Amino acid sequence: MLGDPRHRTEDIRAADPLGADALLAAVPAMNERADTAALTVALRALLPDPDRAALWSVCGAAAAMRDLGILLGSLKRHGVQPLTAVPEALPVLELLGRRTDMVPRDTVHHYTTWNPVGPRRRSYTGHPTEALLQEAVRMVFPALAGALDDCARLTGLEPYDPGFAAVLDRIARRVRAMVDSIDLTVAGVSPEYFALTLRPYFEEVEVGGRDYLGPAAAQVPLWPIDLTLWQCDRPDPAYDAFLAESVPYALPAWRAFHARHRGGVSAVSKLSAAVSWEGADRLPPRLAASAEALGRVLRILKTFRARHIGIARKAYDDDVRLYEEGSGGAPVALLRSILDLTRENETMVRRATVRHRPTVAPAPAGPTAA
């Protein structure tokens, strides 16, 4: 992954292949006025010549998609299908999608990780709360990229291996970044602001006859960790359907990880099988350490998901919401289902080790008075 140009975030942030800095600085004002005419002119003005765009590096193509994407989401927020208004954008978006090996519109990577910081930041509203949300999402990606490497290592280990617990502990530290991110979001982004102001910018956009989701935080790929820990061999129809929708928005290396491991053996299954072979009252220390480490990761995931549900419930409350489903295309009920699945697997790990925990015999009763 180190050689993947999509991880050269500073290069992508610095790039401005469309010369869009000045024009995109005016987008928040256009959105405040709901000026679809100006947004349409801006999109048409930024479109590059396809022959020139075909020569761009992956970094340049990612930056171009980022900048066009702000206009796509802005137009759709005001009720205009961007490619109906500017049909000549279709071959450009398809070209940039092929050049980056991603979907032919902007994703959460474009909106957060690859977005410049400071005065050049691309934004729908220009509001500090939007910037805070972008930062809250941006901060988790280095940890998730590291977790992907750790998950790949874990798939090649067994619970008796000395590295099994150590890799799980690294994954746990990385998952804590998700909890920190959602805590930052809770503290700084009100459910009303997200539901009424930002959520409309994350609507689907039609490109080439297919609808593509907007660049919302719901695309943050926590699923490789689920896949490795429990999901690859413990399928759930609703979660599987969500993954089928979500995986295409991930980076190529993450999609390849899903393709390699979706039929594998999960860490929960490996641990359950290893524990079932143990007849002694006490698990071997290495196996006990693996069980404890796996339980810790699952508990952190439970914490994140419980807090995520709290935010989602408020943002999609009947008195607040503008939409029935979340920005990732899933209802709040699915979040509850995934939390329940995470809890069930954590409980399974805990119960698998209960019978191997030594019990302390009660002290003999002392003499009683006659």
Side-chain angles (χ1 to χ4, degrees), residues 219-234:
Q219 292 176 5
V220 174
L222 191 57
W223 52 259
I225 299 174
D226 288 337
L227 185 78
T228 307
L229 298 189
W230 59 269
Q231 195 271 334
C232 63
D233 56 4
R234 298 170 186 272

Side-chain angles (χ1 to χ4, degrees), residues 167-341:
V167 171
L168 281 167
D169 284 340
R170 285 201 301 272
I171 293 173
R173 289 194 293 272
R174 299 187 195 282
V175 175
R176 288 186 195 279
M178 297 288 292
V179 179
D180 294 340
S181 170
I182 209 155
D183 286 346
L184 179 62
T185 302
V186 169
V189 183
S190 73
E192 293 78 13
Y193 176 82
F194 178 80
L196 302 178
T197 301
L198 276 186
R199 172 65 178 85
Y201 289 101
F202 301 139
E203 274 290 85
E204 296 177 339
V205 165
E206 182 180 332
V207 180
R210 177 178 170 182
D211 287 336
Y212 290 91
L213 297 171
Q219 292 176 5
V220 174
L222 191 57
W223 52 259
I225 299 174
D226 288 337
L227 185 78
T228 307
L229 298 189
W230 59 269
Q231 195 271 334
C232 63
D233 56 4
R234 298 170 186 272
D236 173 81
Y239 194 18
D240 294 348
F242 173 73
L243 285 181
E245 181 77 8
S246 298
V247 170
Y249 295 86
L251 297 177
W254 301 30
R255 302 197 310 266
F257 180 90
H258 180 265
R260 287 195 305 272
H261 299 295
R262 62 184 172 184
V265 181
S266 70
V268 168
S269 292
K270 289 179 181 179
L271 182 76
S272 297
V275 169
S276 71
W277 283 97
E278 292 293 334
D281 289 337
R282 184 191 295 269
L283 290 176
R286 192 169 288 167
L287 188 55
S290 292
E292 292 167 4
L294 181 53
R296 278 193 295 272
V297 179
L298 290 168
R299 283 192 294 275
I300 297 170
L301 286 170
K302 282 196 312 181
T303 299
F304 167 77
R305 290 194 157 119
R307 294 180 187 177
H308 187 195
I309 286 174
I311 295 174
R313 279 177 174 163
K314 294 175 182 176
Y316 292 94
D317 182 82
D318 288 343
D319 294 333
V320 174
R321 70 185 182 193
L322 298 176
Y323 303 91
E324 293 288 334
E325 294 185 341
S327 49
V332 175
L334 178 63
L335 301 181
R336 165 58 65 183
S337 174
I338 297 173
L339 171 61
D340 289 343
L341 291 167

Side-chain angles (χ1 to χ4, degrees), residues 119-199:
R120 294 185 60 237
R121 183 175 63 89
R122 279 52 170 145
S123 171
Y124 298 114
T125 68
H127 195 280
T129 304
E130 182 183 0
L132 187 148
L133 182 63
Q134 288 172 312
E135 183 56 35
V137 177
R138 189 201 313 262
M139 65 186 280
V140 308
F141 275 105
L144 284 177
L148 187 71
D149 291 336
D150 288 331
C151 286
R153 294 186 187 97
L154 190 66
T155 60
L157 297 171
E158 297 296 329
Y160 288 102
D161 292 332
F164 194 89
V167 171
L168 281 167
D169 284 340
R170 285 201 301 272
I171 293 173
R173 289 194 293 272
R174 299 187 195 282
V175 175
R176 288 186 195 279
M178 297 288 292
V179 179
D180 294 340
S181 170
I182 209 155
D183 286 346
L184 179 62
T185 302
V186 169
V189 183
S190 73
E192 293 78 13
Y193 176 82
F194 178 80
L196 302 178
T197 301
L198 276 186
R199 172 65 178 85

